[in-house]
Amino acid sequence: MDSHKRGGLIVFKPFHAEFAGPGAAFGSVFDQDCTGVLPVGDFAAVTPQSQEDRQKAYLIRRQWIRLIQQITDNPESHDRVRMLVNQFNNYFDWLTVSQLPDEAFALMIGVLPQTVSEVRARLGQVS
């Protein structure tokens, strides 16, 4: 993905979802079990031109996975939702984030879509 754009992909797997942000690798061994993708923001895919570019893209993908993991480590589901929505709001514009489905957020952090809906309503952001 183009690291100069504010976009990414929500990558759906059989039992969860991951976010691959700008500059992150997508496809290959990372996503053999991918069941679907949802582009977010100003998404643009690019092919790494060198081994160094590929390694950098893999490292960036790992960083995104670690960020979501840190959010998921919070034991309180409402806090996880709030933290994830805030993270996306810091990175993307409000309209982009508000249009993302509750199910996508829920699958990224292991909560029910209804929990996402409740928290987003309290934050004034309805999907």
Side-chain angles (χ1 to χ4, degrees):
M1 281 178 267
D2 190 338
S3 61
H4 297 96
K5 298 209 179 240
R6 280 213 185 271
L9 287 176
I10 296 176
V11 182
F12 295 96
K13 307 284 182 117
F15 302 105
H16 74 286
E18 298 175 3
F19 182 70
F26 170 72
S28 185
V29 297
F30 273 116
D31 300 306
Q32 290 178 345
D33 59 344
C34 174
T35 60
V37 295
L38 176 64
V40 181
D42 191 14
F43 171 76
V46 296
T47 303
Q49 298 302 308
S50 68
Q51 178 62 26
E52 182 180 319
D53 290 343
R54 276 188 291 284
Q55 283 183 316
K56 184 178 176 184
Y58 291 138
L59 288 172
I60 292 170
R61 176 73 179 263
R62 280 184 31 201
Q63 288 174 331
W64 284 105
I65 291 169
R66 284 184 180 154
L67 173 66
I68 302 300
Q69 179 62 48
Q70 288 173 347
I71 292 170
T72 304
D73 285 344
N74 188 312
E76 173 55 46
S77 59
H78 287 84
D79 289 342
R80 290 198 304 265
V81 174
R82 184 183 40 75
M83 291 167 68
L84 183 63
V85 170
N86 286 339
Q87 190 71 38
F88 270 70
N89 278 330
N90 288 334
Y91 201 74
F92 299 105
D93 62 271
W94 181 88
L95 183 60
T96 297
V97 178
S98 69
Q99 293 175 343
L100 294 174
D102 292 340
E103 293 79 13
F105 281 125
L107 285 168
M108 281 191 274
I109 55 172
V111 301
L112 295 171
Q114 297 88 331
T115 305
V116 176
S117 180
E118 289 171 18
V119 173
R120 290 174 96 178
R122 275 191 243 143
L123 293 172
Q125 186 180 78
V126 180
S127 62

